[in-house]
């Protein structure tokens, strides 16, 4: 009977002599050539082909998809090279999936890989001195890679130093595969996919609407003091930045800093004094936290609050020293719009720095 079963499985091409490849199908036609089980070479009886798939780019597409999942389980130093242990875990996983669902576990794996990879992602594009994020489609191979990685990562994280280890990694791995194949949000892969696609959706929306950090809109800002309209810069498309790091050389010519987005000018002012010089990413993080706190406290667009603060923060009048003969006296003068904006930004940043230095409050507060 044992020999008869082995002959039958050898004819029908079954994984571990039990799970058939013949009834598998991929519903997403874009992934058909990347989840490999159609060719005779990929319909293996034992998932240990010893193929050198890493020697050339894209050669791993030809690796049987079950073996790819097994290889992904051998991650991090303590598990590297323990392929027999990983094969044993995969065998247990397939048995548990079959007991729980009554379906061919290979079809459940294929469905999980189809649904687990993100369809959209974002990339950084530099145009002049401006870096922004652009939504892009994810290639089929990367979708498959991400789905396999996230299933194995989720199983490893759920079982490591947890009560679930008593049931074995196979049981946890089964849960990751099963939940991913049925759109259950417990799956790490689906959570990662959803997060990426939500981020891309936000970036597409912000790219259309021009929002700072993809959240705060410039469209409803207004300056009530008409004398400062040309000096608090947010009207032009160039100044409606997604990320306030334009890398513009505004110091090279007089009055060129008027063209710098007003949020970036405040960030630059935060980088004053030697210990903070050049720490722009830290200053951007502080500004982002500041905007969040302002929104929580007031419920308004924090950019409008900043614009109003700049309008009201700069002095309209000042005094200058005038010498007439041997007498020096002070004369009241109007302050130029640019100096009003400069003074308001400087005093806000100076006050925040002084109030937070060696105090309990953070500079964002």
């Amino acid at each position: 009977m044992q020999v008869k079963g082995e002959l039958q499985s050898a004819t029908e091409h079954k994984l571990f002599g039990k799970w058939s490849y013949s009834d598998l199908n991929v519903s997403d036609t874009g992934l058909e050539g990347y989840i490999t089980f159609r060719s005779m070479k990929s319909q293996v009886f034992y998932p240990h082909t010893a193929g050198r798939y890493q020697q050339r780019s894209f050669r791993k597409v030809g690796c049987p998809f079950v073996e790819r999942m097994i290889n992904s389980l051998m991650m991090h130093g303590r598990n590297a090279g323990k392929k027999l242990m990983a094969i044993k875990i995969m065998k247990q996983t397939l048995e548990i999936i079959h007991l729980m669902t009554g379906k061919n576990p290979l079809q459940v794996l294929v469905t999980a890989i189809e649904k687990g990879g993100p369809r959209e992602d974002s990339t950084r594009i530099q145009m002049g001195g401006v870096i922004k994020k652009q939504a892009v489609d994810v290639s089929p191979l990367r979708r498959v890679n991400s789905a396999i990685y996230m299933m194995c990562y989720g199983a490893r994280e759920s079982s490591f130093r947890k009560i679930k280890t008593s049931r074995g990694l196979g049981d946890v791995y089964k849960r990751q595969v099963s939940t991913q194949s049925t759109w259950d949000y417990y799956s790490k892969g689906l959570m990662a996919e959803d997060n990426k696609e939500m981020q891309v959706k936000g970036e597409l929306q912000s790219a259309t609407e021009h929002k700072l950090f993809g959240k705060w809109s410039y469209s409803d800002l207004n300056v009530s003091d008409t004398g400062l309209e040309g000096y608090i810069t947010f009207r032009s498309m160039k100044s409606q930045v997604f990320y306030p790091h334009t890398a513009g050389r505004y110091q090279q010519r007089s009055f060129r800093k008027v063209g710098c987005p007003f949020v970036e000018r405040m960030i630059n002012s935060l980088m004053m004094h030697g210990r903070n010089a050049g720490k722009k990413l830290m200053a951007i993080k502080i500004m982002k936290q500041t905007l969040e706190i302002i929104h929580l406290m007031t419920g308004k667009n924090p950019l409008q609050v900043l614009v109003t603060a700049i309008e009201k923060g700069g002095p309209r009048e000042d005094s200058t020293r005038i010498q007439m003969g041997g007498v020096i006296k002070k004369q009241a003068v109007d302050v130029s719009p640019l100096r009003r904006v400069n003074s308001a930004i400087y005093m806000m940043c100076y006050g925040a720095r002084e109030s937070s230095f060696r105090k309990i409050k953070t500079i964002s507060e």
Side-chain angles (χ1 to χ4, degrees):
M1 283 295 288
Q2 185 178 358
V3 173
K4 186 179 178 181
E6 286 167 0
L7 283 170
Q8 188 179 9
S9 66
T11 309
E12 294 182 13
H13 299 281
K14 293 184 177 182
L15 181 67
F16 299 120
K18 193 169 186 180
W19 314 116
S20 176
Y21 295 95
S22 58
D23 54 346
L24 300 186
N25 67 296
V26 182
S27 57
D28 190 334
T29 52
L31 300 180
E32 271 192 4
Y34 298 89
I35 303 175
T36 312
F37 60 85
R38 298 285 187 199
S39 64
M40 294 292 287
K41 190 176 179 181
S42 61
Q43 293 181 1
V44 293
F45 305 104
Y46 192 74
H48 195 333
T49 59
R52 296 178 180 176
Y53 302 105
Q54 80 288 354
Q55 285 194 335
R56 192 171 296 172
S57 298
F58 306 111
R59 183 179 279 181
K60 63 182 175 184
V61 173
C63 181
F65 74 98
V66 178
E67 187 171 3
R68 288 199 62 193
M69 297 184 76
I70 288 167
N71 293 341
S72 188
L73 279 172
M74 296 191 295
M75 278 198 183
H76 306 302
R78 55 184 285 166
N79 298 320
K82 298 179 181 177
K83 192 153 187 175
L84 296 182
M85 181 187 73
I87 291 171
K88 185 179 177 182
I89 291 168
M90 176 56 71
K91 193 172 183 180
Q92 292 172 349
T93 302
L94 297 176
E95 294 285 355
I96 297 168
I97 290 172
H98 178 66
L99 286 172
M100 297 292 288
T101 63
K103 301 175 184 177
N104 183 348
L106 297 184
Q107 182 60 57
V108 178
L109 288 185
V110 169
T111 309
I113 293 171
E114 281 183 75
K115 295 179 178 178
R119 290 172 284 277
E120 286 185 325
D121 204 344
S122 59
T123 185
R124 287 162 61 91
I125 293 177
Q126 183 170 355
M127 299 175 68
V130 181
I131 297 173
K132 67 174 185 177
K133 285 193 172 182
Q134 175 71 41
V136 291
D137 292 331
V138 178
S139 68
L141 180 57
R142 185 168 174 81
R143 283 179 61 188
V144 172
N145 293 349
S146 301
I148 291 173
Y149 169 76
M150 288 310 298
M151 277 191 283
C152 297
Y153 170 78
R156 195 181 303 110
E157 288 293 303
S158 299
S159 65
F160 186 65
R161 289 182 180 170
K162 305 284 193 311
I163 301 171
K164 292 177 184 176
T165 49
S166 60
R167 297 184 297 170
L169 181 58
D171 194 7
V172 181
Y173 197 25
K174 175 275 306 176
R175 190 169 182 185
Q176 288 294 320
V177 173
S178 301
T179 51
Q180 192 152 303
S181 65
T182 56
W183 293 107
D184 191 329
Y185 205 69
Y186 172 85
S187 167
K188 293 273 186 183
L190 290 182
M191 281 192 276
E193 176 192 5
D194 194 50
N195 287 339
K196 278 192 177 182
E197 292 186 356
M198 283 290 286
Q199 184 183 359
V200 170
K201 187 178 178 183
E203 282 156 9
L204 280 171
Q205 189 178 8
S206 68
T208 310
E209 297 182 11
H210 299 283
K211 292 183 176 182
L212 180 68
F213 299 120
K215 193 169 186 180
W216 313 115
S217 176
Y218 294 94
S219 59
D220 53 347
L221 300 186
N222 66 295
V223 182
S224 57
D225 190 334
T226 52
L228 299 181
E229 272 196 2
Y231 298 90
I232 303 176
T233 312
F234 60 85
R235 298 286 187 198
S236 65
M237 295 291 285
K238 191 176 180 181
S239 61
Q240 293 181 0
V241 293
F242 307 104
Y243 192 73
H245 195 334
T246 59
R249 297 177 179 176
Y250 301 106
Q251 79 287 355
Q252 286 192 337
R253 193 173 295 172
S254 298
F255 306 110
R256 182 181 277 183
K257 63 182 175 184
V258 174
C260 180
F262 75 99
V263 178
E264 186 171 4
R265 287 197 62 192
M266 297 186 73
I267 288 167
N268 293 341
S269 187
L270 282 171
M271 297 191 295
M272 281 194 180
H273 306 300
R275 54 184 281 168
N276 299 319
K279 297 180 180 177
K280 190 153 189 175
L281 295 182
M282 182 188 73
I284 290 171
K285 186 178 178 183
I286 291 168
M287 177 55 69
K288 194 173 182 181
Q289 291 171 349
T290 303
L291 297 176
E292 294 284 356
I293 294 169
I294 290 172
H295 179 67
L296 287 172
M297 297 291 287
T298 63
K300 301 176 184 177
N301 184 347
L303 296 184
Q304 182 59 58
V305 177
L306 288 185
V307 169
T308 309
I310 292 171
E311 281 184 77
K312 296 180 177 178
R316 292 172 183 79
E317 288 187 335
D318 203 350
S319 61
T320 184
R321 291 159 60 91
I322 296 177
Q323 184 173 356
M324 298 176 68
V327 181
I328 297 174
K329 67 174 184 177
K330 286 191 175 182
Q331 176 70 41
V333 291
D334 292 332
V335 178
S336 69
L338 180 57
R339 186 168 175 80
R340 283 179 60 188
V341 173
N342 293 349
S343 300
I345 290 173
Y346 170 77
M347 290 309 298
M348 276 192 284
C349 297
Y350 173 78
R353 199 181 302 109
E354 288 296 305
S355 300
S356 65
F357 187 64
R358 291 180 179 170
K359 303 288 193 308
I360 298 171
K361 285 188 176 180
T362 62
I363 194 166
S364 302
E365 293 171 333

